[in-house]
Amino acid sequence: MILRDLIALLDRIAPPHLAEAWDNVGLIVGDPGQIVAKALLAIDYTPEVAAEAKRLSCNLVIAYHPPIFSPIKRLTAPDPMFDAIRSAIAIYSPHTALDVADGGTNDFLADLLEMEDRRPLRLIEPKARQYKLITFVPEPDVERVAEALFAAGAGRIGNYERCSFRSSGTGTFLGDESTSPAIGSKRVFETAAEVRVETACPIARVMDVLAALRTAHPYEEPAFDLVQLAAPPEKSGQGRIGRIAPAAVGEIVAKVKKGLGLAHVLLAGPADQVVEKAAVLAGAGREHLKDAIAQGAGLYLTGEIPHHEALSAAKAGMTVIATLHSNSERGTLGRVRERLAREAGGVEFVLSQVDRDPFSVV
């Protein structure tokens, strides 16, 4: 299977626009045109996971945590990223996009608690994803220019392609001595019958689309406007909160340990209460603890939480279950693998056997 087609499937599972603004999701390393026959799923791209991928002849690693978060100045051996590039092993990371997505990381934790009437613990801030490109084209050249824009990635709205709006008008211009106008003469005020073409342009493709516009447009200096479009409100968000069947803390702890395959978890706050409303947040739970308290959750299931926040939760009468960071995330990889196996024919997907949280309870 060609990697770009597999990326399209991964992007449907964990839409990149749902990711946090600080995150670095998507294809981290690799050639979108390369063939993928076998893929390894893991939380972290560690040296152990890198060696496992090579041993199993995997040419794609789906690493939940991006191995690159910020710009790097050099990449040399023995860094696993250098070796991935040299060995043509692609790396794709869904991270917070998978957390937010329906059926993703946080829904996996909510399912462990059999949570009902669930909703996001905190809605995500919508991020602009598109520009509206507006340009003005002489009537005889409209179709040629429009086709070039569409081929470069403009004109998609939902499941529709080649979308545009066109209206006729009159353009005016006066070129100086250095110009070679496609219509009329330099130093002569000209008018031309033009068509205003409006089309959507993904922010990620804007440079390609503008290059296509300049190549296809007959004018030396095609006029255009780029208007950033406000993103519609999202109903998606980080974490989940909802009702659970009334259960003692001990019962919930046993359910979490079994569901995540853990021998131990960390517990803070009341250990003897009955819980009817719970919140979950995969990974680092510090930022969303106040949301869980404010919305009346009696229990908060997360990966990790600092000392003082655990005290705050206990003071508020909330029980906290902390599994260690990546232990709260790893279970969702099985679900991702199952869906990929169903929908990506010809590719073998395997779960890492060496990927584990760096901490253990001894």
Side-chain angles (χ1 to χ4, degrees):
M1 186 175 194
I2 298 176
L3 179 56
R4 67 169 56 89
D5 296 331
L6 186 52
I7 289 172
L9 173 56
L10 287 163
D11 287 352
R12 290 197 296 274
I13 294 172
H17 74 272
L18 297 180
E20 298 283 358
W22 49 262
D23 207 358
N24 185 30
V25 302
L27 184 64
I28 307 296
V29 166
D31 175 2
Q34 73 185 73
I35 301 297
V36 175
K38 192 172 184 180
L40 181 70
L41 288 85
I43 292 295
D44 293 298
Y45 188 69
T46 61
E48 293 78 15
V49 169
E52 182 183 30
K54 293 187 73 173
R55 186 172 67 253
L56 296 176
S57 299
C58 296
N59 48 4
L60 170 65
V61 176
I62 300 170
Y64 169 82
H65 287 140
I68 299 176
F69 269 107
S70 55
I72 56 177
K73 294 185 177 180
R74 59 181 56 86
L75 195 59
T76 60
D79 191 301
M81 295 292 291
F82 172 81
D83 191 58
I85 296 169
R86 182 171 57 182
S87 304
I89 297 175
I91 303 173
Y92 178 99
S93 296
H95 202 205
T96 56
L98 185 60
D99 293 345
V100 171
D102 288 342
T105 319
N106 286 305
D107 274 326
F108 177 84
L109 293 180
D111 289 343
L112 286 184
L113 303 185
E114 300 178 84
M115 186 183 292
E116 299 179 355
D117 299 328
R118 68 184 69 168
R119 64 182 186 276
L121 192 54
R122 183 191 296 180
L123 294 174
I124 61 172
E125 292 289 335
K127 296 183 285 292
R129 303 193 295 276
Q130 292 199 102
Y131 287 115
K132 178 189 283 187
L133 170 65
I134 305 167
T135 190
F136 308 88
V137 188
E139 288 181 346
D141 301 285
V142 168
E143 292 304 328
R144 179 168 57 84
V145 172
E147 288 301 320
L149 298 179
F150 298 152
R156 174 176 283 277
I157 300 176
N159 294 323
Y160 292 85
E161 298 179 357
R162 301 160 60 88
C163 302
S164 67
F165 181 80
R166 308 175 187 186
S167 54
S168 298
T170 301
T172 68
F173 48 89
L174 171 61
D176 64 21
E177 194 65 34
S178 66
T179 61
S180 299
I183 296 175
S185 304
K186 57 187 174 185
R187 300 194 62 81
V188 177
F189 180 74
E190 302 286 357
T191 63
E194 295 180 342
V195 175
R196 174 186 172 114
V197 178
E198 304 179 37
T199 188
C201 174
I203 289 176
R205 300 300 300 273
V206 67
M207 298 307 294
D208 293 336
V209 171
L210 291 181
L213 171 64
R214 292 188 172 102
T215 299
H217 202 290
Y219 289 176
E220 282 184 293
E221 297 288 346
F224 65 88
D225 297 324
L226 279 175
V227 180
Q228 185 166 300
L229 301 178
E234 294 276 5
K235 294 182 179 179
S236 303
Q238 280 288 5
R240 299 291 185 266
I241 187 168
R243 294 185 301 103
I244 64 173
V249 168
E251 297 175 61
I252 299 172
V253 167
K255 185 180 295 186
V256 169
K257 289 163 67 175
K258 180 180 179 180
L260 298 180
L262 301 175
H264 306 280
V265 296
L266 303 178
L267 191 69
D272 56 356
Q273 66 172 327
V274 173
V275 178
E276 299 184 24
K277 187 176 186 180
V280 300
L281 193 288
R286 176 178 187 171
E287 182 181 348
H288 293 73
L289 174 64
K290 290 183 178 179
D291 298 307
I293 293 173
Q295 295 176 55
L299 180 136
Y300 188 41
L301 170 60
T302 188
E304 61 174 299
I305 197 164
H307 174 86
H308 292 289
E309 281 68 19
L311 291 177
S312 296
K315 183 178 179 180
M318 173 188 285
T319 303
V320 174
I321 300 175
T323 66
L324 298 182
H325 188 109
S326 67
N327 289 338
S328 66
E329 302 160 334
R330 191 164 286 102
T332 197
L333 294 180
R335 284 189 176 179
V336 174
R337 178 192 173 279
E338 289 174 4
R339 180 167 175 186
L340 290 171
R342 288 196 307 269
E343 301 184 31
V347 181
E348 181 182 357
F349 297 94
V350 295
L351 294 176
S352 172
Q353 299 302 303
V354 300
D355 175 47
R356 55 180 52 86
D357 196 274
F359 289 100
S360 60
V361 180
V362 296

